[in-house]
């Protein structure tokens, strides 16, 4: 591995661009190869076996593109396939996910708290966050709530109006989240509605820390690259954004997640099968 190699990032679709955006802000010299598995999206309602199969192929594809890091920028895929991808990649690249950096952040910053998690059905049902938080032994009371309407809502561009406010309120006023001190945004789409989530808690007069896995992940990645002397000194190539199924509407919504519209190049699905 050397510092000039690109960072490979993948997600079920476009949501992982929220993580990519923060990475580009704090690691401007790195070159990125992003892969959105739009042919198989959404992952949130898929089985663990299906997500593992897709993730293994994509990780292999990114490895063949000479990536020094393979970052699973999707909570659903992180929950289902992180261990598998690590096993498959071995020492050929560094494998990162979006769950472990958040767990490390909680380990360093939280004790005797009640922490809530919102995410897709796959992420919540996997129980991965619950297991890892319990293993910290920090006397943390943990609650998790699947919020499946939020991904299609955001992808439809509905995230700053009355409809989205009502849907967010409906989920966040769930009894299980009533006394939380912190809320983990357990889906890479959710940074888009972070402001509205914060506004909801302010409105009801509650102080709740919002833990954004895009930020915890980007910071953890920077520390790791620094520690292993793998930080790029200058940009070695232009960033590439690839998808397994190209449509113009995917391209249009990159703006929501990345802050600018990016060109998405179609990679034939069979290329990820080699
Ligand atoms: N970005 C995915 C995640 O973080 C959610 C979208 C999907 O269901 O594919 O879980």
């Amino acid at each position: 591995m050397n510092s000039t190699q690109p960072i490979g990032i993948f997600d079920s679709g476009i949501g992982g661009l929220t993580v990519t955006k923060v990475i580009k802000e704090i690691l401007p010299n790195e070159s990125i190869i992003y892969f959105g598995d739009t042919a198989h999206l959404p992952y949130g309602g898929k089985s663990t076996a299906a997500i593992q199969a897709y993730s293994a192929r994509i990780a292999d594809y990114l490895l063949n593109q000479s990536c020094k890091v393979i970052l699973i920028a999707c909570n659903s895929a992180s929950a289902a396939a992180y261990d598998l991808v690590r096993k498959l990649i071995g020492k050929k690249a560094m494998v990162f996910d979006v769950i472990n950096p958040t767990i490390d952040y909680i380990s360093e910053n939280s004790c005797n708290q009640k922490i809530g998690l919102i995410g897709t059905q796959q992420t919540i049902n996997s129980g991965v966050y619950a297991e890892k938080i319990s293993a910290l032994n920090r006397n943390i009371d943990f609650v998790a709530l699947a919020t499946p309407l939020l991904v299609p809502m955001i992808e439809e561009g509905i995230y700053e109006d009355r409809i989205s406010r009502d849907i967010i309120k409906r989920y966040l006023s769930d009894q299980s989240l009533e006394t939380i001190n912190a809320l983990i945004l357990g889906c890479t789409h959710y940074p888009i509605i972070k402001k509205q989530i914060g506004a909801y808690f302010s409105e009801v007069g509650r102080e709740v820390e919002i833990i954004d896995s895009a930020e915890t992940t980007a910071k953890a990645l920077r520390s790791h690259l620094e520690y292993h002397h793998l930080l790029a000194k200058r940009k070695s190539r232009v960033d590439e954004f690839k998808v397994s199924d190209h449509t113009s509407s995917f391209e249009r919504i990159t703006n929501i997640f990345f802050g600018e519209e990016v060109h998405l190049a179609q990679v034939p699905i069979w290329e990820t099968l080699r």
Side-chain angles (χ1 to χ4, degrees):
M1 262 180 277
N2 69 66
S3 61
T4 60
Q5 290 174 262
I7 294 177
I9 301 176
F10 78 89
D11 176 51
S12 57
I14 311 300
L17 286 175
T18 56
V19 186
T20 311
K21 186 168 176 245
V22 186
I23 289 174
K24 284 193 64 65
E25 276 160 18
I26 69 169
L27 293 167
N29 291 334
E30 300 296 333
S31 306
I32 307 283
I33 300 181
Y34 182 88
F35 187 94
D37 193 12
T38 47
H40 299 119
L41 138 167
Y43 280 7
K46 294 259 179 346
S47 69
T48 299
I51 298 172
Q52 286 181 338
Y54 304 144
S55 301
R57 287 175 201 160
I58 299 165
D60 191 49
Y61 172 78
L62 291 171
L63 190 65
N64 282 327
Q65 305 286 309
S66 299
C67 293
K68 62 184 173 190
V69 171
I70 293 171
L71 165 61
I72 309 173
C74 171
N75 278 265
S76 309
S78 296
Y82 174 63
D83 291 338
L84 177 80
V85 170
R86 268 185 63 154
K87 216 186 280 166
L88 290 174
I89 299 298
K91 290 192 163 38
K92 289 174 270 186
M94 286 199 279
V95 178
F96 254 79
D97 74 340
V98 285
I99 296 180
N100 283 299
T102 302
I103 300 298
D104 291 342
Y105 174 85
I106 290 170
S107 163
E108 281 158 27
N109 297 284
S110 311
C111 204
N112 305 320
Q113 279 197 323
K114 182 167 177 183
I115 299 183
L117 165 74
I118 52 172
T120 64
Q121 297 282 9
Q122 162 59 226
T123 300
I124 302 302
N125 294 343
S126 73
V128 167
Y129 275 96
E131 216 174 276
K132 289 183 187 257
I133 287 177
S134 146
L136 295 176
N137 276 326
R138 289 295 168 102
N139 194 27
I140 291 169
D141 187 7
F142 176 75
V143 286
L145 182 73
T147 50
L149 271 185
L150 297 182
V151 165
M153 178 189 92
I154 295 165
E155 288 188 350
E156 278 302 316
I158 303 171
Y159 53 89
E160 258 169 3
D161 61 9
R162 246 189 46 211
I163 300 170
S164 55
R165 211 181 57 210
D166 287 350
I167 294 174
I168 289 168
K169 183 174 170 191
R170 171 83 187 259
Y171 280 135
L172 298 185
S173 58
D174 191 273
Q175 219 181 355
S176 63
L177 301 178
E178 230 163 45
T179 50
I180 54 169
N181 312 102
L183 179 71
I184 304 167
L185 306 186
C187 172
T188 52
H189 279 61
Y190 300 171
I192 305 300
I193 51 169
K194 189 173 168 182
K195 226 167 67 192
Q196 274 201 314
I197 290 175
Y200 165 79
F201 287 121
S202 305
E203 247 172 59
V204 295
R206 285 171 55 196
E207 215 172 286
V208 174
E209 182 195 2
I210 298 169
I211 303 173
D212 180 345
S213 58
E215 275 173 22
T216 56
T217 300
K219 285 179 188 156
L221 178 61
R222 182 175 57 189
S223 310
H224 249 73
L225 289 174
E226 229 159 30
Y227 183 78
H228 292 284
H229 306 290
L230 283 171
L231 272 179
K233 297 195 177 51
R234 67 194 70 81
K235 235 176 140 58
S236 57
R237 48 192 282 172
V238 290
D239 297 333
E240 293 176 47
F241 299 89
K242 302 173 185 238
V243 285
S244 50
D245 187 29
H246 184 277
T247 69
S248 52
S249 67
F250 284 135
E251 205 153 84
R252 243 190 342 267
I253 61 171
T254 54
N255 202 8
I256 298 176
F257 298 94
F258 201 57
E260 61 182 281
E261 197 169 307
V262 291
H263 170 64
L264 300 174
Q266 162 102 41
V267 173
I269 297 177
W270 54 262
E271 266 200 39
T272 65
L273 292 174
R274 282 194 295 189

